[in-house]
Amino acid sequence: MSPRILLLGGTAEALRLARRLGPESIYSLAGLGRVPDDLPCQVRVGGFGGAEGLAAFIREQGIELLLDLTHPYAAQISANAARAAELSGIACWALRRPGWQAGEGDDWREVGDWVELVAVLQSFQRPLFTLGREPLEHLHEIPLHQHWTVRCLTAQQGVPRAEIIGARGPFALDEERALFARLGTDVLISKNSGSQSTEPKLQVARELGLPVLLLRRPELPAVDREFLQPDALCEALERRLV
Ligand code: NAP
């Protein structure tokens, strides 16, 4: 018998795993991105109402194992998952994707938050933001000497000194090279997601000798089992299924 799994998703790894779950299991999405309609498991969309709401859902649905495959920067849902598993007495397993590591020729600088980021950005003119929607809240604060490009999941109308590009990975190296060349980018801003699908931009920055400002990763809670690679998690899952 397979355990009834609740899989918290929002990443490519989660979707790949969801394709392997049976009809007794549930794949959960926050509802910001696409909702797949071709999965063998059940799909639900939207928040649970905090850790208590998630724990109640786990109990109501008779969930036996909670899997956290959310994005490394989705700290709230990961905290809720750890707490809800504790409250409902089931195990929580998490994929903790390692961050990218700087190599030869990289000029990477870590920043703690938006305020620190803006201070470091002062000496640049053409930043390319690839860390989600946060810069969109600050379009009225663009310094006069800067022109921003913000790449996030959905496009919206730009403003005189900012272009907003709607795009989702994976991104090809050649296309990233062309984008940097068209924009005249002089600094790249990113989360350190560790995802292969968004890694080519780092190579382009390296090739051009450009600095990369990386938003520091949030602290994530300890859970019953943590996996660095999706394959290791799948293997452990298969052993538990037999
Ligand atoms: P977050 O701040 O950690 O979570 C905010 C709230 O969204 C949670 O408290 C929860 O609401 C709900 N939520 C998040 N993930 C959920 C899921 N898989 N199923 C049901 N509800 C969920 O998360 P976020 O940073 O806004 O990210 C939202 C989603 O996008 C996550 O699933 C994440 O994996 C994905 N994502 C995030 C990023 C990123 O950079 N943050 C990048 C790519 C994908 P309740 O408290 O009401 O339960």
Side-chain angles (χ1 to χ4, degrees):
M1 262 294 273
S2 309
R4 189 158 157 77
I5 289 171
L6 175 60
L7 167 59
L8 302 173
T11 58
E13 294 95 331
L15 179 58
R16 274 198 295 277
L17 179 55
R19 295 196 183 286
R20 300 171 59 172
L21 296 180
E24 69 288 342
S25 291
I26 303 174
Y27 177 49
S28 173
L29 290 168
L32 304 180
R34 274 194 221 114
V35 179
D37 58 5
D38 59 347
L39 297 182
C41 61
Q42 301 165 45
V43 179
R44 67 165 298 288
V45 179
F48 297 95
E52 284 73 17
L54 179 52
F57 182 88
I58 287 169
R59 282 192 295 266
E60 278 158 24
Q61 296 288 327
I63 300 295
E64 296 165 289
L65 176 63
L66 182 60
L67 298 181
D68 176 10
L69 274 76
T70 58
H71 190 271
Y73 284 72
Q76 186 60 58
I77 187 68
S78 289
N80 292 354
R83 178 75 186 127
E86 224 172 80
L87 288 173
S88 49
I90 66 166
C92 179
W93 293 4
L95 179 66
R96 300 285 192 236
R97 189 202 285 159
W100 295 308
Q101 299 296 321
E104 179 100 21
D106 282 324
D107 174 6
W108 293 6
R109 307 170 198 178
E110 196 174 71
V111 290
D113 57 21
W114 181 261
V115 173
E116 196 183 330
L117 170 60
V118 167
V120 179
L121 269 184
Q122 278 304 315
S123 54
F124 298 93
Q125 279 84 48
R126 302 201 57 99
L128 169 57
F129 293 88
T130 60
L131 41 57
R133 300 185 63 79
E134 190 170 5
L136 302 181
E137 292 160 26
H138 301 276
L139 294 179
H140 57 287
E141 299 164 12
I142 303 176
L144 286 172
H145 68 284
Q146 289 182 351
H147 182 282
W148 291 8
T149 303
V150 180
R151 182 167 72 186
C152 54
L153 285 184
T154 45
Q156 70 174 54
Q157 187 73 38
V159 295
R161 274 178 300 111
E163 176 180 345
I164 299 155
I165 301 174
R168 60 181 72 224
F171 297 102
L173 183 57
D174 282 349
E175 286 167 19
E176 296 292 63
R177 284 192 183 115
L179 180 70
F180 277 62
R182 174 174 79 76
L183 297 172
T185 299
D186 60 359
V187 61
L188 172 69
I189 303 105
S190 178
K191 290 176 176 166
N192 188 351
S193 78
S195 164
Q196 279 181 359
S197 68
T198 52
E199 209 172 347
K201 63 189 175 186
L202 298 172
Q203 185 174 330
V204 180
R206 188 176 307 130
E207 288 170 3
L208 298 173
L210 299 181
V212 180
L213 308 184
L214 290 165
L215 195 62
R216 186 172 306 137
R217 282 188 160 212
E219 292 285 331
L220 297 177
V223 290
D224 298 284
R225 290 192 69 176
E226 298 185 1
F227 301 86
L228 299 180
Q229 302 297 335
D231 286 354
L233 190 150
C234 288
E235 271 168 37
L237 214 46
E238 270 159 27
R239 280 201 295 277
R240 206 183 137 115
L241 295 185
V242 279

